[in-house]
Amino acid sequence: MNKFEILSVVLEFIEENLTQELTPELCAKQCGYSLSNLQKMFRCVFHIGISDYISRRRITVAARELLETDATVLDIAMKYNYNSHEVFTRAFERIWGVSPSKFRKGRRFTEIFPKLDEATCITDGEGTVIMYSKKKFDVSHLYDAIRAHSGKYVVCFDMVRLMYVNETYGSAAGDIAIAECLRRIDAESDEAMLPIRIGGDEFVLITDFDKKEDAQAIAEKILVHNGETVKSGEHEFPVSMRAGFVVIPSGNLRYSELFSQCVIAGHEE
């Protein structure tokens, strides 16, 4: 296997074992690659460590179960290999900024950290990697739902200065900022709409609107909160987004091209 096939194997292995014992060591054993080299390659391509990725995926699917089942918080914690209610709650709050109980009472959107897309790269004529793809999430399982909105407007968002937040306040603060962006989008969407996180700081809201003015109106309701602050530990900082619009076309369209025409414009911080 080449390096990118190895990463694909690791992503699938993680996805299939979120409720089992799961460590970077087991991932390395699964693909027959050294642990140190796998960790370096995973972080280089996806900009996240293997352990952090496992934790984020577990919290994401656990959040889904909180809303879709009647299982207790403790039962869900144990299912995803958290050895106590307290440990699970700390991990959950780090990603979502609220406790599992509060999340269950007031949220609809759960996919804060979808599965990462398979690694791709650009090489030179001799096969040397010169560029890795930008980190994207694999939301291909939503393709049919997205295509069902053909002819409808999509509102595309990106967070302003996520890298600055991560570098200044730490990755935990970045997680809280992402969760706040998704909370704002979720709060203004209804059951006919589909919010999706498609990249590190990129989100889309699939609407049921035929008119751009309606899509603009909901975007403004979300962007009016630009500059409002969130807290991470002792730090408090503002969170802002920008927005753009695109229509989901009719006819055949490759999944990879669905949001490529959505240009973010205006709404600067």
Side-chain angles (χ1 to χ4, degrees):
M1 292 188 293
N2 63 39
K3 292 182 178 180
F4 296 97
E5 290 172 335
I6 287 171
L7 289 175
S8 295
V9 168
V10 171
L11 290 177
E12 290 303 321
F13 178 71
I14 290 172
E15 208 63 22
E16 293 169 0
N17 291 277
L18 290 173
T19 61
Q20 309 299 319
E21 179 185 1
L22 191 55
T23 64
E25 289 80 5
L26 287 172
C27 292
K29 183 178 180 180
Q30 174 67 19
C31 64
Y33 208 62
S34 76
L35 175 61
S36 60
N37 285 338
L38 179 62
Q39 288 176 318
K40 291 176 183 177
M41 182 167 58
F42 197 96
R43 182 173 291 279
C44 181
V45 174
F46 297 126
H47 311 296
I48 187 173
I50 298 173
S51 294
D52 281 346
Y53 177 70
I54 292 170
S55 177
R56 283 164 170 77
R57 285 298 298 141
R58 279 178 165 162
I59 291 298
T60 295
V61 295
R64 188 186 310 151
E65 292 203 20
L66 280 169
L67 298 191
E68 295 180 354
T69 75
D70 294 325
T72 67
V73 173
L74 180 58
D75 285 344
I76 294 173
M78 294 300 177
K79 178 178 180 178
Y80 290 99
N81 275 265
Y82 293 92
N83 56 22
S84 73
H85 186 292
E86 292 74 19
V87 171
F88 175 67
T89 296
R90 285 198 299 270
F92 196 93
E93 288 180 337
R94 181 183 183 277
I95 302 299
W96 283 105
V98 296
S99 69
S101 297
K102 288 184 178 179
F103 182 90
R104 175 172 256 169
K105 292 176 181 177
R107 300 292 181 88
R108 292 190 310 112
F109 179 80
T110 63
E111 298 300 303
I112 192 168
F113 204 92
K115 176 189 171 187
L116 282 170
D117 207 350
E118 294 182 356
T120 57
C121 65
I122 298 173
T123 60
D124 61 18
E126 298 178 354
T128 301
V129 175
I130 57 176
M131 182 183 298
Y132 294 109
S133 64
K134 186 177 181 181
K135 183 173 75 176
K136 293 289 183 182
F137 295 119
D138 181 4
V139 293
S140 56
H141 61 289
L142 297 174
Y143 181 82
D144 290 341
I146 295 168
R147 297 296 297 150
H149 288 76
S150 293
K152 306 298 184 181
Y153 269 91
V154 176
V155 187
C156 303
F157 298 93
D158 70 4
M159 180 184 161
V160 177
R161 303 178 74 192
L162 175 60
M163 184 179 296
Y164 172 82
V165 171
N166 284 329
E167 292 177 349
T168 305
Y169 306 112
S171 60
D175 289 340
I176 295 298
I178 290 295
E180 173 62 13
C181 289
L182 290 166
R183 185 197 66 78
R184 294 176 188 179
I185 295 169
D186 191 31
E188 296 298 337
S189 61
D190 60 35
E191 293 184 359
M193 301 179 190
L194 179 63
I196 310 172
R197 186 182 179 191
I198 60 171
D201 59 355
E202 299 171 323
F203 323 92
V204 296
L205 179 60
I206 313 295
T207 78
D208 56 350
F209 297 137
D210 299 307
K211 298 179 180 179
K212 186 175 181 180
E213 304 86 74
D214 294 330
Q216 288 175 320
I218 196 169
E220 292 300 334
K221 287 182 180 180
I222 295 167
L223 297 179
V224 75
H225 297 287
N226 276 356
E228 293 179 4
T229 60
V230 296
K231 289 184 178 181
S232 176
E234 298 178 352
H235 304 295
E236 184 171 354
F237 54 90
V239 174
S240 296
M241 289 184 285
R242 303 177 298 172
F245 309 89
V246 70
V247 175
I248 297 179
S250 301
N252 295 325
L253 182 68
R254 287 167 43 183
Y255 160 72
S256 61
E257 298 173 342
L258 274 172
F259 308 116
S260 61
Q261 300 176 41
C262 193
V263 178
I264 304 296
H267 306 295
E268 296 293 340
E269 184 180 31

